[in-house]
Amino acid sequence: MQYICYANQGFPKEQFKKIFKSKITKKTIYDYMEILKKNGINNPNILFELEQKGCTYAYIANAIITKIIIDSSQELTDSVIKEIFGFSLSHDDETLDCNMLMLDMFAFLYDKVKLTVHKYQTYHYKNAVSAAKDLLGKDFASEQEAIIELFNNGIISDGIDEITKENRYKNVKPINEVILGSYPEIAKSLLNINDENMDKEKLKKLLAEKDITFEEHDNSPESKLSGLIKSNINAWINYYLLEKNIRIEFTSEPLVINNRTYEEFQEYLKELLNEGYVLEVASSPNSDTFITSNKEKVGVSSKEAGHSMLIVGFDENNDIVVSSWGKDFTIPKQNYKNFQYTKALIKTPITKTIPNKKEI
């Protein structure tokens, strides 16, 4: 590959909207549609959501590809890329398109949710005396004494079982489990039910019959990779990599500026880059932050969302150079404290390259 096309969350939608489509544009659209279909999505309208909510997906795709390039001691041919990801990231055998990885992540995680599942153990006995003897190993002369002791151990009466006609007893301390997946996948995992039309309400009803309740988290694409809690991002990205059988590990954690001057902070970032880390810079929602291109200011914050970008280096003025919307921008050194920073350790299956390899 001679060229790299950094991910731009608006790029896939732009290709579909082009009035005059060249041969390469048609090939690009076809490749993007194939990615969507392989992830069970037939409606390209999700590209509008990607444009609005996908900056962190773009950053992570850029970060992973950048790390692979840095680590590689061989030419990154299409066959090498296919071996790593299981699919091509090229439309023309010349350009590595990070948008394809970004789109695959977004499409795969689109319908996934995180459930905190609470499983309540239930028991069936003729009476409380029998329950206490079996569950607690204690004999009681009366029902009242047995009920009190069961209650003290977190076990309560829960009505009559309609089938066995025995008394039900329930442990009020649930076994908790976190599960990631789509509703059909979770139903298969928990209930061994195959139902492609499974939704939240149907799953909730079926689980309730098994004394299982849950809380839902991260049901929107942007919520999975948003916020300052990097452990959530790490969990979702590594879930994607594991489910796709991609032998890459992604771990990120926030950096703290503290009282460092810009010069000290710049040296710190350079040290991290030399140590093999990939760096992110992000703005907060509803903040007055901007990046520049040809001295033009571009805002990178709205009331609802901030913006995530890959740090690609420093320019001749020692300003921070970032990749945003597939292009290079700069963060003026005097504004470096207006942003948040993250370092990402990305383990790839590629052999470590020789030091000082020219960055792409």
Side-chain angles (χ1 to χ4, degrees):
M1 303 289 178
Q2 296 182 13
Y3 311 101
I4 178 171
C5 177
Y6 279 119
N8 166 9
Q9 62 268 30
F11 185 79
K13 190 201 75 173
E14 292 172 4
Q15 304 311 297
F16 278 79
K17 290 188 68 177
K18 283 185 176 180
I19 298 175
F20 301 103
K21 296 178 173 61
S22 65
K23 183 177 180 180
I24 186 62
T25 298
K26 290 179 181 178
K27 179 66 168 59
T28 300
I29 292 173
Y30 173 81
D31 290 340
Y32 289 166
M33 281 301 302
E34 283 298 298
I35 290 173
L36 294 179
K37 288 179 181 178
K38 286 180 180 178
N39 286 289
I41 296 175
N42 297 313
N43 189 347
N45 284 339
I46 75 160
L47 300 181
F48 288 86
E49 291 187 64
L50 175 61
E51 180 182 40
Q52 296 172 355
K53 308 169 182 176
C55 65
T56 308
Y57 291 86
Y59 150 68
I60 291 174
N62 290 336
I64 289 174
I65 297 300
T66 295
K67 182 59 176 173
I68 287 174
I69 292 171
I70 292 172
D71 283 0
S72 179
S73 59
Q74 59 181 311
E75 181 184 355
L76 287 177
T77 62
D78 198 43
S79 61
V80 172
I81 293 297
K82 284 182 179 178
E83 185 177 347
I84 296 172
F85 294 101
F87 61 96
S88 174
L89 296 182
S90 177
H91 311 293
D92 57 10
D93 297 327
E94 293 289 328
T95 303
L96 196 58
D97 184 5
C98 299
N99 292 292
M100 299 179 78
L101 178 58
M102 170 191 69
L103 184 57
D104 192 62
M105 286 191 293
F106 189 83
F108 176 78
L109 295 177
Y110 186 79
D111 66 343
K112 306 297 188 289
V113 295
K114 177 169 69 175
L115 299 187
T116 301
V117 177
H118 311 292
K119 299 180 180 179
Y120 294 89
Q121 290 179 294
T122 57
Y123 319 94
H124 298 78
Y125 293 98
K126 182 178 179 180
N127 51 48
V129 172
S130 299
K133 184 175 182 178
D134 189 43
L135 297 173
L136 307 178
K138 296 180 180 181
D139 289 311
F140 292 95
S142 70
E143 278 283 294
Q144 188 63 28
E145 289 177 318
I147 290 171
I148 292 173
E149 189 63 19
L150 286 168
F151 178 82
N152 290 337
N153 284 273
I155 301 170
I156 62 173
S157 177
D158 193 39
I160 305 295
D161 188 276
E162 294 181 359
I163 298 175
T164 66
K165 304 304 179 182
E166 290 186 310
N167 292 299
R168 284 202 336 162
Y169 297 90
K170 180 178 181 180
N171 195 324
V172 296
K173 298 177 182 178
I175 299 171
N176 299 320
E177 181 182 0
V178 175
I179 300 178
L180 305 181
S182 65
Y183 284 117
E185 290 167 348
I186 294 171
K188 175 64 177 176
S189 175
L190 293 178
L191 302 170
N192 198 28
I193 292 175
N194 291 306
D195 184 351
E196 291 302 316
N197 296 315
M198 183 66 63
D199 58 21
K200 180 179 178 179
E201 292 307 314
K202 190 186 296 186
L203 180 64
K204 188 175 183 178
K205 181 180 179 181
L206 290 170
L207 289 177
E209 296 172 359
K210 304 288 186 180
D211 289 299
I212 301 174
T213 63
F214 65 82
E215 290 96 39
E216 179 191 72
H217 315 275
D218 301 344
N219 63 343
S220 64
E222 68 274 18
S223 64
K224 297 176 178 68
L225 306 187
S226 67
L228 298 176
I229 302 176
K230 299 304 176 184
S231 59
N232 200 51
I233 294 176
N234 296 340
W236 277 111
I237 294 303
N238 285 301
Y239 168 75
Y240 162 80
L241 295 169
L242 182 64
E243 291 294 309
K244 288 282 186 168
N245 198 29
I246 300 172
R247 293 182 296 115
I248 294 174
E249 296 177 23
F250 181 92
T251 307
S252 62
E253 58 181 290
L255 299 180
V256 181
I257 297 177
N258 289 328
N259 295 320
R260 290 186 178 95
T261 65
Y262 178 76
E263 290 73 21
E264 292 170 339
F265 187 61
Q266 183 188 27
E267 285 305 310
Y268 178 44
L269 296 184
K270 288 181 177 179
E271 288 175 10
L272 292 172
L273 290 170
N274 288 334
E275 291 172 7
Y277 286 94
V278 180
L279 305 179
E280 173 201 16
V281 58
S283 62
S284 299
N286 201 29
S287 61
D288 187 21
T289 52
F290 63 88
I291 54 181
T292 63
S293 177
N294 298 322
K295 297 183 179 180
E296 179 184 356
K297 294 181 180 180
V298 179
V300 286
S301 176
S302 67
K303 289 183 179 180
E304 295 79 21
H307 188 58
S308 177
M309 301 165 283
L310 175 73
I311 294 178
V312 298
F314 302 89
D315 66 9
E316 64 277 4
N317 297 319
N318 285 324
D319 292 329
I320 300 172
V321 181
V322 300
S323 177
S324 182
W325 302 295
K327 300 177 182 178
D328 284 352
F329 292 83
T330 59
I331 295 176
K333 60 175 72 73
Q334 62 269 25
N335 297 331
Y336 77 106
K337 288 188 176 181
N338 296 339
F339 294 82
Q340 291 81 46
Y341 300 84
T342 299
K343 66 177 181 181
L345 183 63
I346 303 173
K347 296 181 181 179
T348 72
I350 296 290
T351 304
K352 180 68 178 176
T353 188
I354 59 175
N356 302 321
K357 179 178 178 180
K358 183 179 179 182
E359 292 185 6
I360 295 182

